[in-house]
């Protein structure tokens, strides 16, 4: 028998997280009830916490990177109580042309958990059954909560036009930059990662990334010329400011591909001259497909991508506000911060 109430973290307005008691939700038709184990804090969560995403309405329960256990499988034929799962944290309508065509990340009614609808920052959460995805036996719950950000990066690699035997430059060495670099390397690319925070580059080096460039200390232009000759075949932009977009164009070879993963708050002045002159192919990357999720699970399971070493902090659910404060203060290295719910 479950208790009747649970703890839940609510972002009442930017900067104000409150942990409250709430009833444990009951699964509606087509839903399953999960006991939450781990929640990863994402860069987008910080943007919301700081009030930077105008389309978010408050109060909101945050959290979309999670792992947990099925405690009420409802009418699911696929899942049973006790199954260990992560979620693909977005709704699908299942009937628009893009859902029917298999491009579910383009679904016209897609809503992201913890952004457009309440998220998983609670001891228990109900989600549509189709979101829940079983994790391999032996995969730790904290690692499972990082499959979602890895899937973002794997998707970007999969739409880059091919990486095997090619030179790839990743601009930005946060969690997404690091995971993109690891995924690109796992897919056979020779990878350079560039950033300005040395400890983030040290994580990339520890993960075996070929070339790590601190471009506040050395010229990225020189490093690209030295290592990649006329420019990278593929550049992944993982920051989200105009300088990094234009840098991506500058460091890409003629006819190369630039994949944009960064999330931009504003419209950017873009160097159209370089784009046209080099015949660049510029591709935006949005979320992932189910196949990217499956591939991420396999990359993590085989150790081709190391997720656990990127976890730099762990807080209980009651410590949600403290976790945000620690991330904002940046007094110690911050990569992926985990909320360990149970
Ligand atoms: Zn995320
Ligand atoms: Zn749809």
């Amino acid at each position: 028998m479950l208790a009747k109430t649970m703890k839940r973290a609510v972002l009442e307005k930017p900067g104000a997280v409150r942990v409250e008691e709430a009833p444990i939700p009951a699964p509606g038709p087509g839903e399953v009830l999960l006991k939450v184990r781990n929640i990863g804090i994402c860069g987008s969560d910080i943007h919301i916490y700081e009030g930077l995403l105008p389309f978010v309405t408050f109060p909101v329960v945050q959290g979309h990177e999670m792992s947990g256990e099925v405690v009420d499988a409802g009418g699911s034929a696929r899942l049973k109580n006790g199954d260990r799962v992560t979620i693909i944290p977005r709704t699908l309508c299942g009937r628009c042309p893009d859902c029917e065509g298999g491009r579910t990340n383009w679904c016209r009614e897609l809503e992201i958990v913890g952004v457009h609808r309440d998220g998983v920052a609670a001891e228990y959460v109900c989600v549509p059954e189709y979101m829940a995805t079983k994790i391999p036996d032996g995969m730790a719950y904290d690692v499972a909560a990082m499959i979602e950000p890895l899937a973002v990066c794997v998707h970007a690699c999969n739409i880059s036009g091919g990486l095997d035997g090619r030179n790839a430059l990743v601009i930005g060495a946060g969690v997404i930059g690091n995971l993109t670099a690891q995924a690109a390397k796992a897919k056979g690319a020779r990878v350079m990662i560039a950033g300005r925070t040395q400890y983030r580059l040290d994580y990339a080096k520890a993960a075996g990334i070929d070339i790590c460039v601190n471009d506040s200390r050395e010229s990225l232009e020189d490093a690209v010329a030295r290592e990649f000759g006329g420019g990278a075949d593929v550049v992944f932009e993982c920051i989200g400011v105009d300088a990094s977009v234009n840098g991506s164009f500058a460091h890409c070879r003629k006819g190369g591909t630039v994949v944009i993963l960064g999330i931009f708050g504003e419209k950017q002045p873009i160097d159209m001259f370089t784009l046209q002159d080099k015949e660049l192919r510029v591709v935006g990357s949005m979320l992932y497909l189910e196949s990217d999720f499956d591939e991420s699970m396999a990359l993590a399971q085989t150790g081709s991508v190391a997720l656990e070493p990127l976890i730099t902090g762990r807080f209980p659910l009651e410590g949600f506000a403290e976790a945000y404060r620690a991330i904002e203060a940046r007094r110690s290295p911050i990569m992926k911060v985990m909320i360990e719910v149970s």
Side-chain angles (χ1 to χ4, degrees):
M1 244 330 253
L2 292 176
K4 290 209 161 39
T5 64
M6 63 171 190
K7 290 193 176 61
R8 171 171 86 179
V10 181
L11 182 64
E12 298 196 298
K13 58 180 199 277
V17 185
R18 188 165 59 89
V19 176
E20 62 181 21
E21 287 288 321
I24 294 177
E31 287 188 334
V32 292
L33 178 65
L34 308 179
K35 178 178 165 67
V36 180
R37 294 287 187 165
N38 279 75
I39 303 168
I41 297 182
C42 176
S44 67
D45 293 323
I46 303 294
H47 288 321
I48 294 169
Y49 173 73
E50 293 180 341
L52 301 178
L53 296 188
F55 50 85
V56 175
T57 53
F58 296 94
V60 65
V61 177
Q62 293 193 272
H64 59 272
E65 304 176 3
M66 69 88 73
S67 60
E69 188 187 315
V70 178
V71 289
D72 186 344
S76 175
R78 190 173 57 88
L79 299 169
K80 59 181 190 313
N81 292 0
D83 279 349
R84 304 163 73 248
V85 296
T86 182
I87 63 167
I88 308 182
R90 46 83 185 108
T91 63
L92 299 176
C93 76
R95 53 177 188 273
C96 72
D98 294 317
C99 279
E100 289 192 333
R103 292 309 311 244
T104 50
N105 61 331
W106 298 348
C107 173
R108 321 245 165 133
E109 291 174 30
L110 184 144
E111 287 185 331
I112 300 177
V113 170
V115 180
H116 306 105
R117 50 159 43 214
D118 275 346
V120 301
E123 290 180 291
Y124 294 89
V125 67
C126 281
V127 298
E129 191 255 12
Y130 63 80
M131 280 187 196
T133 305
K134 280 194 236 182
I135 61 175
D137 292 341
M139 180 179 280
Y141 278 120
D142 54 2
V143 167
M146 290 182 71
I147 297 296
E148 193 268 353
L150 177 57
V152 166
C153 305
V154 166
H155 182 69
C157 288
N158 285 341
I159 61 173
S160 69
L163 288 163
D164 194 21
R166 306 181 81 195
N167 290 324
L169 169 65
V170 177
I171 297 185
V175 172
I176 292 295
N178 256 278
L179 294 180
T180 300
Q182 287 196 55
K185 188 169 166 71
K187 288 171 171 291
R190 183 157 172 269
V191 180
M192 178 187 295
I193 187 168
R196 294 193 165 168
T197 305
Q198 188 56 44
Y199 76 76
R200 297 188 151 179
L201 294 161
D202 292 341
Y203 280 100
K205 180 160 268 175
I209 299 309
D210 303 288
I211 310 145
C212 305
V213 175
N214 184 331
D215 68 338
S216 66
R217 296 182 191 165
E218 79 173 284
S219 154
L220 181 55
E221 192 180 346
D222 290 352
V224 169
R226 182 180 70 235
E227 301 288 343
F228 293 166
D233 299 313
V234 181
V235 182
F236 295 97
E237 190 289 316
C238 301
I239 298 179
V241 296
D242 60 351
S244 59
V245 177
N246 292 328
S248 300
F249 294 178
H251 302 307
C252 195
R253 70 159 167 81
K254 289 195 174 183
T257 300
V258 175
V259 185
I260 307 287
L261 286 90
I263 297 172
F264 295 81
E266 300 160 359
K267 293 192 176 172
Q268 307 297 317
I270 297 298
D271 178 4
M272 296 305 290
F273 175 83
T274 302
L275 186 155
Q276 180 269 333
D277 182 64
K278 289 185 168 180
E279 292 198 342
L280 297 177
R281 207 165 65 90
V282 181
V283 189
S285 188
M286 174 61 179
L287 297 177
Y288 27 67
L289 302 173
E290 291 76 358
S291 53
D292 301 312
F293 237 82
D294 294 344
E295 191 181 343
S296 300
M297 211 89 81
L299 286 170
Q301 185 65 358
T302 57
S304 307
V305 172
L307 297 172
E308 205 274 341
L310 295 180
I311 301 173
T312 52
R314 298 172 191 271
F315 293 83
L317 185 62
E318 296 80 358
F320 226 106
E322 199 190 325
Y324 278 142
R325 282 196 294 272
I327 292 168
E328 288 196 309
R330 298 193 180 281
R331 274 191 293 271
S332 57
I334 298 285
M335 295 295 278
K336 179 57 72 183
V337 173
M338 277 291 156
I339 304 293
E340 303 204 300
V341 181
S342 60

